[in-house]
Amino acid sequence: METNLLVAIANLVENPVTELVHNYRTLNRANSMGNALELYIKDLFCNSFNENDLGKKNEIYSKYFSYLGNQNNPPDIIIKNGDAIEVKKIEGINSDIALNSSHPKDKLFSDNLMLTNDCRNCENWQEKDLLYIIGVSKNDNLKSLWFVYGDCYSARKEIYERIRDKISEGINELQDVEFSKTKELGRVNRVDPLGITYLRVRGMWSIKNPRKVFDSVLPVERSSEFFVNVILREDKFLSFPEKDRKKLESLISDQFSIRDIKIPSPNNPAELLDVKLLSFEK
């Protein structure tokens, strides 16, 4: 079974559910907005809205996804032979996105230390395109969704790793302090005379809301109940099956549009990228 972003957006345009907690309340583990949002995202890619049994939903998901993650390790979803997906929930329409200990990513690489072995071994892969999906919720309702590929939003990993490594090296150069190996920025052992206290030094990454980042190219907002914006490179859009592109183009209306725009490259703002902006409002 195959799916991709264009399939998900077509399903969303045809089935724009916004009362997520209400719609998913009967399913176990779906009483919070975060859980309901993740279930909705999975259903968008699998077109499994009409299945109300969680066990049967999971069977459907296993046909389309090779990996489903957890809160502590990225990503949240890997599409079989397709993209990796990170789902983020925020409550304010302009709120920044908390990434915690994981820096922004333009791509997902299998040698990332934050990945579990199950994630590394779910397929034979070394690199995946990474899709950020950001849901804005209020009073258990979904107000907006952003779908943004990492290579439109994030710089190359070397940019972030250079900063992380410099901080880690500086911490480890402190004199008369005992360190231990860690995936975090550092860990200092035996801080007190009894040697019973240790200090964990963690990075807490955040990134600006895409609504702020792409403000100059967005359509004028109206007082919509629900709106969706999708940003992906033109070559990525053209890489999807023609039938999925044609299906999506057939849905163009006053509510749904596909536009060609240009955005600054995350690696070099002097370079403009050819990008597709897909917008939907209800």
Side-chain angles (χ1 to χ4, degrees), residues 103-105 109 111-113 155-169 185 205:
H103 63 69
K105 304 176 191 67
F109 296 92
D111 61 358
N112 187 308
L113 295 177
R156 289 188 297 272
K157 64 177 182 176
E158 292 84 0
I159 300 294
Y160 309 102
E161 290 177 349
R162 177 174 58 86
I163 299 297
R164 181 200 65 192
D165 292 345
K166 284 289 185 182
I167 295 172
S168 184
E169 288 167 9
L185 293 177
W205 297 86

Side-chain angles (χ1 to χ4, degrees), residues 80-144:
K80 282 187 177 179
N81 301 310
D83 300 330
I85 298 171
E86 280 275 284
V87 181
K88 301 293 182 182
K89 181 188 76 70
I90 57 177
E91 294 186 357
I93 197 169
N94 289 311
S95 298
D96 291 341
I97 317 304
L99 303 176
N100 300 323
S101 56
S102 181
H103 63 69
K105 304 176 191 67
D106 62 336
K107 307 275 185 179
L108 186 69
F109 296 92
S110 61
D111 61 358
N112 187 308
L113 295 177
M114 297 293 292
L115 303 187
T116 64
N117 287 331
D118 289 318
C119 179
R120 290 191 185 91
N121 298 325
C122 69
E123 295 178 14
N124 182 16
W125 68 284
Q126 284 77 45
E127 176 183 330
K128 295 249 181 210
D129 289 342
L130 180 62
L131 175 64
Y132 285 100
I133 302 179
I134 300 155
V136 181
S137 65
K138 187 176 182 180
N139 299 326
D140 288 343
N141 290 333
L142 190 62
K143 305 302 292 183
S144 70

Side-chain angles (χ1 to χ4, degrees), residues 180-199:
S180 62
K181 188 176 181 180
T182 176
K183 293 180 181 179
E184 298 174 341
L185 293 177
R187 171 169 163 154
V188 183
N189 294 326
R190 303 176 64 84
V191 172
D192 55 345
L194 288 178
I196 60 175
T197 306
Y198 60 87
L199 171 67

Side-chain angles (χ1 to χ4, degrees), residues 248-261:
L248 200 59
E249 289 165 354
S250 73
L251 297 175
I252 291 174
S253 66
D254 291 340
Q255 290 182 304
F256 177 63
S257 63
I258 300 176
R259 295 171 50 201
D260 294 317
I261 63 171

Side-chain angles (χ1 to χ4, degrees), residues 38 42 58 61-62 65-70 73 75-78 116 118 122:
E38 286 199 21
K42 293 172 188 175
N58 287 333
Y61 297 158
S62 70
F65 306 132
S66 62
Y67 177 78
L68 296 174
N70 57 60
N73 301 91
D76 294 306
I77 301 168
I78 291 182
T116 64
D118 289 318
C122 69

